[in-house]
Amino acid sequence: MQSIPPVFHRSIIASAISAALFSPVAVAETLTSENATQLDTLFVVGEATSGVDNLVSADDIEKAQANTLSEVFRHDPNVSAGGTVSMGQKLYVRNIGEDLLNISVDGAEQAGPIFHHAGRVTLEPELLKQVEVESGAGSATAGFGALGGSIRFVTKDPEDLLKEGQNLGALIKSTYSSNGDGFKNSVTVYGQDESKKFSGMISLLNADQDNIEDGEGSEVAGTESEKQLGYAKFIVNLDDEQSLSISHENLTEEGDIPYRPEWRQSTSSSPISAASAHRETTILNYNFSPKQNDWVNLSINLYQTDNEQERYSSRFDSNFVGRVESTGMTIKNTSFTDRNEIIYGVDYRKDESILEATPSPHTEEGQAIGLFIQDIYSVNEDLTLTAGARLDRYEIDDINGQNLTDSGVSPNISGNYQITPEVSLSASYAQALRGVTVHDAFDLDDYDNASDLTAENAHNTEIALNYQKNALSFVAGVYQTRIEDLIAPELPWTDTYMNLEDDVKSNGQYLRVKYQLDKLVLGASYLTSEVTVDGIDATRYVYGSSAVSVGDTITLEASYQFTTGFEAGWNMVHVKDINDINFNLGGQDLSLDKAGYTVHDIYARWTPESIEDLTINLTVNNLFDRQYLDHASVEDFTSNSGYSGVIGTPEAGRNIKLSAAYQF
């Protein structure tokens, strides 16, 4: 049996992400590129194999002119983040929430909730290079606690902005949004020396908007915001085999918003008051890849993140600050043989949850350490297998003096078989574990852990059929996820966290089709993901950052490159209604419906021939001014007695965004 050269194997791995995005042109370019470089991320052939299976590109973000997390993933049915208050947006992958995901920015994990009614991720999309999504428990390289998958935000490097032959440049951009009368202005300066040994970039951004209007033209109180970003990244190519980079991000967002940012304003349960969110992240990356040694491809990632929120609380009758500080590292090496790509290493993270309040400040510390190995084995030209495992140990000294520890092994195995040159079948099974971590900073003074808490465990099984020939590609798959021993307060919300008896179960199917021919791109996606606990649809109100129910989702897209300098496109998202969600909570029978909705967006991008450095973007979100409540938002419980304030904020009505970017 003939060996597969390592360089060929690497090109297959790197091209898999293009296959996942169904771009025949991109696949062809990747496979034929003589200068293709190995990516740090694990990409594996086949939709159901362990590794990244979806990607949001900088081009996607630019077309959407995204300002918030929900807009970044607006056209991706796998990821949702409902709500119009950005501090209240929580990320869900296939309806499994951010508490059960591994979320990182350039390798810096965004760990630990600050406030259970707010999201844990504060982000500005402007400098994102791409977002990598791994749906469901999968690769051993996914990091700590990836029970429902992982989301990795990757920022741009100076080289991504420099034009060919350019050593110094700048990008000035201004965007106006009609809904909320918002402005966003940024300037980015970047460059490298003649020898390309040193490169760097500095970016400053300011954005502000007033309260938005919903689809009925009513002002949505508490949706204003003002954001400032300072970002710097410097890279040193020590020699042809080594590089070192350091980056620092300082992001602040503030505004008069509801006390519970995921709820609509209520004078009693969620009054509007001044609040702010602040994140500082410093990241150091070192890479060593000897040209003549396929056994050593070393990367070291060190990071520190300080994530905090401040708001007024009637409980303390003053402003108080919740903060989560995370310090961590990942040391990873990749070794290539004729048939194997073996990725192995160690990661570590220390978290500190801090409540700064008078008269009772509190602090809680926890840490996790993991060992991981993942092997991609090319059996022959048709069959690729991958298998791996993580060994994780969690420890926490909680606020009440308990020392809680847990550890376990999370194995995975998957494979892809090329049935014909056009058709392949992939399948996978993976487990993931998450032990007890630091608690919600805002509630450190008022909670307890059961002494017998054990780690949460996820089991994910997936099968997919992939087809690609010429301009047409599609994938169809089914998956099943089961999360055991979910850590949560006993319903309805005592102050003691324990392992819930009922498993969280997620079952779904997906279909994605893309047709790309010359200047025309047509695409469609379908996802159904039924998430239940004890046979009842999970609601965000009850299960918070762990699970939510979103109706069957269909997305359609069409775009056309009319000329070299002009492109236009259309996107549609249709979410089916969910009716008759009935359950008992604290002895009270509750019921609710989630109305379906269809939303259309259009965009156009123009680069005038006479001013080639100028790019003008026009985006119209919610073209037909649809009034709706995103299914990933807190549901409408207001028809139930005693729940008059429990409802999320409606989505924005029609929003016309116009931007001008000048790069020189």
Side-chain angles (χ1 to χ4, degrees):
M1 187 177 295
Q2 186 176 3
S3 298
I4 300 176
V7 65
F8 179 74
H9 184 68
R10 295 184 200 185
S11 69
I12 295 178
I13 301 304
S15 68
I17 190 65
S18 299
L21 295 175
F22 307 117
S23 174
V25 174
V27 173
E29 290 176 349
T30 303
L31 289 174
T32 58
S33 172
E34 295 180 0
N35 299 315
T37 57
Q38 181 192 357
L39 301 176
D40 290 335
T41 306
L42 176 62
F43 298 119
V44 185
V45 176
E47 180 71 19
T49 48
S50 298
V52 169
D53 52 29
N54 199 18
L55 182 146
V56 181
S57 68
D59 192 56
D60 297 327
I61 295 169
E62 183 180 341
K63 290 175 183 176
Q65 300 198 60
N67 292 320
T68 65
L69 288 171
S70 64
E71 291 178 339
V72 169
F73 300 105
R74 188 174 178 88
H75 304 127
D76 183 354
N78 286 283
V79 186
S80 51
T84 44
V85 179
S86 60
M87 287 187 218
Q89 292 180 351
K90 297 179 180 180
L91 288 168
Y92 297 85
V93 174
R94 290 181 180 169
N95 304 339
I96 300 299
E98 58 186 31
D99 277 1
L100 308 178
L101 305 174
N102 182 286
I103 303 173
S104 63
V105 179
D106 288 340
E109 296 185 4
Q110 305 301 295
I114 298 174
F115 184 29
H116 58 275
H117 285 295
R120 70 172 60 188
V121 181
T122 304
L123 193 75
E124 167 51 49
E126 194 68 34
L127 290 176
L128 289 178
K129 178 179 180 177
Q130 62 191 37
V131 187
E132 303 162 358
V133 180
E134 183 173 348
S135 302
S139 168
T141 64
F144 296 112
L147 281 73
S150 63
I151 300 176
R152 294 186 278 276
F153 297 95
V154 182
T155 61
K156 295 175 182 176
D157 290 335
E159 290 82 357
D160 298 317
L161 298 170
L162 286 166
K163 298 178 181 180
E164 186 176 356
Q166 185 183 43
N167 289 327
L168 182 65
L171 173 64
I172 300 173
K173 184 175 181 181
S174 183
T175 304
Y176 172 73
S177 300
S178 65
N179 198 334
D181 195 25
F183 286 91
K184 180 162 71 172
N185 302 300
S186 65
V187 57
T188 304
V189 180
Y190 42 88
Q192 63 184 9
D193 68 336
E194 290 288 344
S195 66
K196 298 183 180 181
K197 182 175 182 178
F198 300 97
S199 63
M201 61 185 290
I202 296 175
S203 184
L204 300 174
L205 177 145
N206 183 83
D208 65 84
Q209 71 167 42
D210 297 330
N211 290 331
I212 60 99
E213 293 183 352
D214 61 21
E216 296 177 344
S218 299
E219 181 177 325
V220 183
T223 54
E224 67 170 38
S225 72
E226 183 174 354
K227 186 186 296 184
Q228 295 88 33
L229 169 69
Y231 181 81
K233 178 183 283 188
F234 300 97
I235 300 174
V236 182
N237 294 310
L238 302 172
D239 53 38
D240 291 342
E241 299 176 336
Q242 300 179 83
S243 66
L244 182 70
S245 72
I246 184 169
S247 65
H248 181 77
E249 182 176 6
N250 190 321
L251 177 63
T252 298
E253 183 175 3
E254 54 190 11
D256 292 335
I257 66 172
Y259 172 74
R260 294 174 169 86
E262 63 178 346
W263 290 14
R264 196 177 301 185
Q265 178 205 5
S266 168
T267 55
S268 57
S269 58
S270 191
I272 288 179
S273 62
S276 66
H278 182 219
R279 176 170 64 84
E280 283 195 62
T281 301
T282 303
I283 302 168
L284 178 70
N285 281 297
Y286 169 78
N287 293 279
F288 176 48
S289 182
K291 293 182 178 180
Q292 304 302 320
N293 189 343
D294 286 329
W295 286 93
V296 179
N297 294 273
L298 177 68
S299 67
I300 300 175
N301 172 266
L302 305 173
Y303 63 87
Q304 181 174 34
T305 289
D306 186 347
N307 203 354
E308 71 173 42
Q309 293 184 19
E310 179 179 3
R311 55 176 45 84
Y312 174 82
S313 171
S314 58
R315 191 165 93 233
F316 299 104
D317 193 26
S318 65
N319 277 19
F320 69 120
V321 174
R323 188 165 76 246
V324 175
E325 296 180 356
S326 296
T327 304
M329 71 168 187
T330 299
I331 302 175
K332 179 173 62 177
N333 188 60
T334 304
S335 298
F336 292 95
T337 69
D338 286 347
R339 295 183 177 277
N340 296 78
E341 178 181 353
I342 309 169
I343 305 170
Y344 48 95
V346 57
D347 40 20
Y348 171 81
R349 193 184 75 225
K350 178 182 178 181
D351 304 318
E352 187 173 7
S353 183
I354 302 166
L355 172 64
E356 296 180 0
T358 303
S360 54
H362 294 277
T363 301
E364 183 174 80
E365 293 186 357
Q367 61 181 349
I369 186 168
L371 302 173
F372 59 87
I373 184 169
Q374 191 76 35
D375 181 28
I376 306 168
Y377 175 50
S378 299
V379 180
N380 53 44
E381 293 182 355
D382 297 323
L383 179 62
T384 301
L385 299 176
T386 178
R390 287 188 62 88
L391 170 61
D392 292 315
R393 184 181 187 276
Y394 289 80
E395 180 178 5
I396 182 175
D397 293 309
D398 77 10
I399 199 67
N400 298 302
Q402 294 188 95
N403 177 265
L404 301 172
T405 62
D406 209 340
S407 60
V409 177
S410 304
N412 70 79
I413 185 169
S414 60
N416 182 80
Y417 183 70
Q418 200 73 35
I419 302 172
T420 71
E422 298 83 18
V423 180
S424 66
L425 180 67
S426 55
S428 70
Y429 172 77
Q431 296 180 17
L433 171 145
R434 189 181 83 124
V436 184
T437 58
V438 294
H439 191 70
D440 176 346
F442 280 1
D443 272 356
L444 281 182
D445 66 323
D446 191 28
Y447 100 101
D448 189 19
N449 285 316
S451 59
D452 59 349
L453 270 181
T454 61
E456 303 161 313
N457 286 274
H459 304 260
N460 186 68
T461 305
E462 189 166 344
I463 300 174
L465 185 70
N466 303 264
Y467 173 87
Q468 182 174 329
K469 184 176 182 180
N470 300 327
L472 178 65
S473 302
F474 80 83
V475 60
V478 297
Y479 64 89
Q480 182 180 72
T481 296
R482 186 178 79 257
I483 299 174
E484 303 170 339
D485 299 321
L486 183 70
I487 298 175
E490 183 180 15
L491 299 177
W493 306 292
T494 65
D495 295 330
T496 300
Y497 277 67
M498 58 184 59
N499 296 112
L500 300 188
E501 292 183 3
D502 297 311
D503 297 342
V504 177
K505 296 180 180 179
S506 175
N507 299 290
Q509 303 88 40
Y510 55 84
L511 173 67
R512 293 204 297 272
V513 182
K514 179 161 278 191
Y515 179 81
Q516 181 170 331
L517 183 63
D518 196 16
K519 301 176 181 180
L520 175 68
V521 176
L522 300 173
S525 298
Y526 170 77
L527 174 69
T528 174
S529 181
E530 183 181 22
V531 180
T532 60
V533 183
D534 194 24
I536 300 170
D537 291 325
T539 61
R540 174 167 167 171
Y541 171 67
V542 175
Y543 292 99
S545 302
S546 296
V548 71
S549 291
V550 176
D552 297 351
T553 302
I554 298 173
T555 65
L556 301 176
E557 66 167 310
S559 65
Y560 192 81
Q561 189 81 38
F562 290 90
T563 67
T564 304
F566 183 74
E567 176 188 359
W570 160 81
N571 293 87
M572 184 211 76
V573 177
H574 171 76
V575 179
K576 185 181 178 182
D577 57 314
I578 305 176
N579 297 309
D580 300 321
I581 302 177
N582 303 305
F583 58 98
N584 186 281
L585 187 63
Q588 181 179 354
D589 291 327
L590 303 177
S591 64
L592 65 123
D593 299 320
K594 303 181 75 165
Y597 47 89
T598 302
V599 183
H600 299 263
D601 301 334
I602 58 173
Y603 74 90
R605 182 165 54 189
W606 179 44
T607 302
E609 292 184 7
S610 58
I611 315 176
E612 63 180 13
D613 294 324
L614 176 66
T615 301
I616 297 174
N617 276 283
L618 173 67
T619 303
V620 184
N621 288 338
N622 198 355
L623 177 65
F624 299 112
D625 222 10
R626 178 63 187 266
Q627 172 76 357
Y628 69 104
L629 180 66
D630 193 295
H631 277 198
S633 297
V634 171
E635 301 80 5
D636 184 357
F637 275 76
T638 57
S639 62
N640 297 280
S641 176
Y643 289 82
S644 60
V646 182
I647 181 174
T649 55
E651 295 300 306
R654 184 184 301 112
N655 190 8
I656 302 171
K657 300 180 182 180
L658 181 63
S659 71
Y662 190 73
Q663 187 173 12
F664 57 91

